[in-house]
Amino acid sequence: MTSWTPELQGRGGPLYRAIADALAEDIDAGRLVPGNRLPTHRELAERVGVTVGTVTRAYAEAEKRGLVRGEVGRGTYVRGPEAPAAMPSPVEVADDESPVELGVNAPATPEGDPASQALRRSLEELGRSARLSELLAYQPAAGTTAHRVAGAQWASRFGLRVKPEQVVVCAGGQHAMEVALAALTKPGETLVTEALTYPGIKVLARRFQLRLQGVAMDAEGLVPESFEAVCRGGPVRLLYTQPTCHNPTGAVQSEERRERIAEVARKYGVLVLEDDSYGLLPERRPPPLATFLPEASYFIAGVSKLLTPGLRIGYLVAPARARGERLAEEVGLASLMTTPLMAEVLARWVEDGTADALVVRQRQEVGERLELARTVLGTWVRREASVPLYHLWLGLPEGRRSEELTAQARRNGVSVTSADLFTTGPGPVPAAVRVCIGAPRTRAQLERGLRRLREVLEAGPEPLAAII
């Protein structure tokens, strides 16, 4: 066990956070190395002159940042240089005996679907276009003027009125999130999300060494009073939120709720990154949160979850005064530019109405697949969102843990997602698993996976011998 004592002199804010900050600095400086065992909670409390509860909170904060790991009965250890937590990766389907992917949240892309047909037409047109060679050359990091115009037009579908110079063309929504965090945050700053949130932001928070703080939720999503309480506790740099069709709960914030959140963000000088990946699935929706905080809101106008994920295009919209130069710089540093060929395809779809038609088709497909899932899973369905989404939640019997069920399902040829993947706190992890209905290419594959999952649920937990 190391004799580590944190240097707290000159540090402001809560004591538990100051201890975690000192720990981070000593790890960065090499004074603590991977594998070092830290003092026990009681021992460190006596050294520093604080309560055991304060040390417990400090170690929990350090674990949340990925600095340490706690081992029951052994103590708390400095983590090694581990890879960041990975996003769920879809399984490859080769035949009817292959695992069925119900763990990755994706729009339905069956063979022969309208998106495939539209892409075929667009590529044939581009093959005859005089602009083809231009699309194979280097372009501005933010995207061409025509592609940024298309981005502004697409943002208008969500209820935003923006100028093309505010738009940066990115390689999908995940890339837009990464660009925004790189441009707007510094290591050690606080990033606030809902208590249950999209796993991709958790991966990026760890990569950028941000303090990730979950905020309480209710049926509408993020609770403004909880958000304000966090802001009062110390400086918050950025709020990442999904006000419409929240992933994973499906919650939709009312217009009044959005106004209140905007008021809190403005009062405490918090920037907002609004992710509207699913926002066009409901036919009616409140105005974007960005309309209530235009001076400090960055908006991701989703594409992948509404049209097709293979294009890998997303639009990141900056506030009018900020424009997009800093965001474009981050795109340029990482990849020079986003693929112009795919940006051109999407621009044509936005212009000629193909994109709007694909959204309507997705709504229909989602509804039909949800009905199939309800029929097969029956009373196992715990809760559905009030809007159409690509997933639903299954509640588990008392005493059955979600991570155990996901492992058991995987051994039986179906992939689902445990609730703990989405948790940032506060509050306990729900005893539930998420079932995604869009990834299977055919209805037959979806039904096969759902029936396998129901068999696992009805069979009960596997005996320990089988798990080993």
Side-chain angles (χ1 to χ4, degrees), residues 438-453:
R441 298 298 302 277
T442 67
R443 302 276 180 86
Q445 289 174 357
L446 173 60
E447 184 172 359
R448 177 161 52 88
L450 293 170
R451 293 195 181 282
R452 286 184 184 178
L453 179 58

Side-chain angles (χ1 to χ4, degrees), residues 28-183:
D28 289 341
R31 291 186 287 271
L32 289 171
V33 298
N36 279 162
R37 182 183 175 191
L38 297 176
T40 66
H41 296 213
R42 185 171 301 280
E43 181 181 351
L44 188 59
E46 292 174 353
R47 287 186 194 175
V48 179
V50 298
T51 66
V52 173
T54 297
V55 175
T56 299
R57 291 190 70 187
Y59 280 179
E61 171 72 13
E63 188 163 7
K64 184 185 296 183
R65 298 188 205 177
L67 302 172
V68 302
R69 69 180 190 278
E71 299 183 11
V72 178
R74 298 191 61 216
T76 303
Y77 294 81
V78 176
R79 278 187 180 272
E82 302 169 50
M87 291 288 292
S89 179
V91 298
E92 184 176 0
V93 178
D95 52 45
D96 286 348
E97 298 305 316
S98 299
V100 180
E101 180 57 77
L102 301 181
V104 173
N105 212 26
T109 55
E111 293 183 10
D113 72 316
S116 300
Q117 298 170 18
L119 180 59
R120 186 175 294 108
R121 289 195 302 270
S122 296
L123 292 178
E124 289 172 352
E125 293 169 1
L126 282 170
R128 299 188 295 268
S129 172
R131 291 194 60 215
L132 185 60
S133 59
E134 175 189 338
L135 296 171
L136 298 178
Y138 285 117
Q139 304 290 350
T144 68
T145 298
H147 297 164
R148 298 174 82 182
V149 167
Q153 292 174 344
W154 186 242
S156 72
R157 308 297 202 271
F158 297 81
L160 282 183
R161 297 182 62 182
V162 301
K163 297 179 180 179
E165 54 263 34
Q166 293 175 247
V167 177
V168 174
V169 184
C170 297
Q174 181 76 19
H175 182 225
M177 290 164 52
E178 184 171 6
V179 167
L181 292 190

Side-chain angles (χ1 to χ4, degrees), residues 114-338:
S116 300
Q117 298 170 18
L119 180 59
R120 186 175 294 108
R121 289 195 302 270
S122 296
L123 292 178
E124 289 172 352
E125 293 169 1
L126 282 170
R128 299 188 295 268
S129 172
R131 291 194 60 215
L132 185 60
S133 59
E134 175 189 338
L135 296 171
L136 298 178
Y138 285 117
Q139 304 290 350
T144 68
T145 298
H147 297 164
R148 298 174 82 182
V149 167
Q153 292 174 344
W154 186 242
S156 72
R157 308 297 202 271
F158 297 81
L160 282 183
R161 297 182 62 182
V162 301
K163 297 179 180 179
E165 54 263 34
Q166 293 175 247
V167 177
V168 174
V169 184
C170 297
Q174 181 76 19
H175 182 225
M177 290 164 52
E178 184 171 6
V179 167
L181 292 190
L184 303 175
T185 67
K186 297 177 182 178
E189 291 183 324
T190 297
L191 168 65
V192 167
T193 72
E194 289 92 347
L196 295 170
T197 192
Y198 170 57
I201 197 70
K202 295 171 63 176
V203 174
L204 291 173
R206 184 170 175 183
R207 175 175 297 172
F208 288 105
Q209 300 179 44
L210 302 174
R211 297 187 184 117
L212 188 61
Q213 177 67 56
V215 172
M217 302 178 66
D218 61 15
E220 278 193 34
L222 185 147
V223 176
E225 292 74 17
S226 180
F227 175 37
E228 183 161 21
V230 170
C231 292
R232 284 198 302 265
V236 172
R237 175 59 176 170
L238 183 69
L239 166 67
Y240 169 83
T241 184
Q242 293 178 315
T244 306
C245 300
H246 172 265
N247 181 12
T249 67
V252 178
Q253 294 173 10
S254 65
E255 186 168 338
E256 294 74 19
R257 175 70 58 94
R258 296 170 195 232
E259 288 181 308
R260 177 66 182 126
I261 292 171
E263 289 172 2
V264 174
R266 183 177 290 113
K267 178 179 178 180
Y268 292 94
V270 179
L271 299 176
V272 173
L273 177 59
E274 180 176 1
D275 185 353
D276 213 345
S277 296
Y278 307 86
L280 299 186
L281 285 179
E283 295 189 52
R284 292 187 176 184
R285 67 201 73 85
L289 176 60
T291 61
F292 303 105
L293 190 72
E295 73 277 14
S297 291
Y298 293 76
F299 186 87
I300 300 174
V303 174
S304 296
K305 296 297 195 300
L306 297 169
L307 307 182
T308 182
L311 286 182
R312 300 317 307 142
I313 297 295
Y315 298 118
L316 177 58
V317 180
R321 292 183 180 179
R323 295 178 159 316
E325 286 85 354
R326 182 70 184 91
L327 304 175
E329 180 182 338
E330 290 299 334
V331 173
L333 288 171
S335 59
L336 294 182
M337 61 181 179
T338 299

